[in-house]
Amino acid sequence: MKRFNNIGRIKVFLKDPNKKSWFKICKELFVLAWVKREIPFYYFKFIYRKSVVNYLDYHSFGDMQALNTSSVLHNRDLNAIIENKLFFAFYAEKANIKTPKLITYNTKSHFFWNGTLKDIQTKAEAKMFFQHVLDENGLDGLFFRPPSEYGGKGCFKMTRADLDEKLDAYFDVLIKGTFVHTQLIVQHDAINKIHGNSVNTLRIITIITKDKHTEFIGGFYRFGVGASVVDNATSGGFTVGVNMETGTLKAKGHYLMEFGGATVTQHPDSGFVFDGFKIPFYADILKMLEHALKVFPDRLIGWDIAITQEGPVIVECNSYPHIPLSDMAYGGMLKNKHMRSLLEEVKAQR
């Protein structure tokens, strides 16, 4: 049971009044084990619920592993750029892709800014460095991200107003690690009305088909909760599916089981109702991704997009998109003929 060893998840499943009957659960587990040729631990993350009728349209762990590791879909050299936030920032800037501006970065005590290297050993030196950087760039703050982490892990922001406080909290972490320091994103007013404490990002999954057509096969908006500065579902936020034809939010959002597995129709902090909310600059987002795919022609990518008053920016992209979240948002992504074909192509090459 190593894939289902979190006692909290088990409790959520056992107490969920919306789970199917035990007879149906056992039947579906047997069918999945037979069809997918693996023990379907993933069933207990979401598929066990009464609302899930077409349970065979959800990706198994084996399906996701095949998609994530396929050399048919992914170029190892390109992925090295995509999966490193620092490399991605350099590459995107050269390719004229709109991303949060890279201001500085550090590798342990070595801080790089504007073509210079500064060795920083104390909080006082760090304070002087960041004050100078903020002044020279006319900025109110910076956002810090480890280049190779995911799910919002290790991220924090620092502003002029809380510089001392944040250095007290993060200085040791900063000079013992590697961080990308980017300009703060000023989020669109319409998104701030839903939740303003975090920059909430839109994940869109693209595929390039076998005959080289680009398809936007799914998307979901990620929202933070409370005072969190990150929106990731794996850090306690939740996701709301997107109607890809209209560019509007669906009626329901979902927390991952690690955070209670609840379904929500409005933001728990603001009370904002999701259903039908029109995403600003939606047509511009799709156009921007068409250009980005010419620069990063990986055949399966999850793009994270923030929306400002001036338009969208690509925060990062992921060659291993979170497929289970898309499955939840769309009632099984294998209903999509392009995703089905992609998986069939990958399995045929194994």
Side-chain angles (χ1 to χ4, degrees), residues 13 18-20 25 28 32 40-60 257 327-328:
F13 162 69
N18 295 313
K19 65 176 175 289
K20 299 168 185 174
I25 289 172
E28 291 180 355
L32 285 170
F41 296 110
Y42 60 92
Y43 180 90
F44 297 98
K45 289 191 172 185
F46 187 75
I47 306 174
Y48 70 88
R49 302 182 187 195
K50 293 177 183 177
S51 59
V52 180
V53 178
N54 53 320
Y55 61 98
L56 289 171
D57 289 331
Y58 287 70
H59 290 82
S60 68
M257 185 172 279
D327 272 341
M328 291 165 63

Side-chain angles (χ1 to χ4, degrees), residues 1 19 29 31 45 59 104 112 129 147 179 199 214 220 228 261:
M1 293 289 287
K19 65 176 175 289
L29 286 171
V31 173
K45 289 191 172 185
H59 290 82
T104 60
F112 300 85
F129 174 80
F179 285 85
V199 174
T214 296
F220 51 84
S228 175

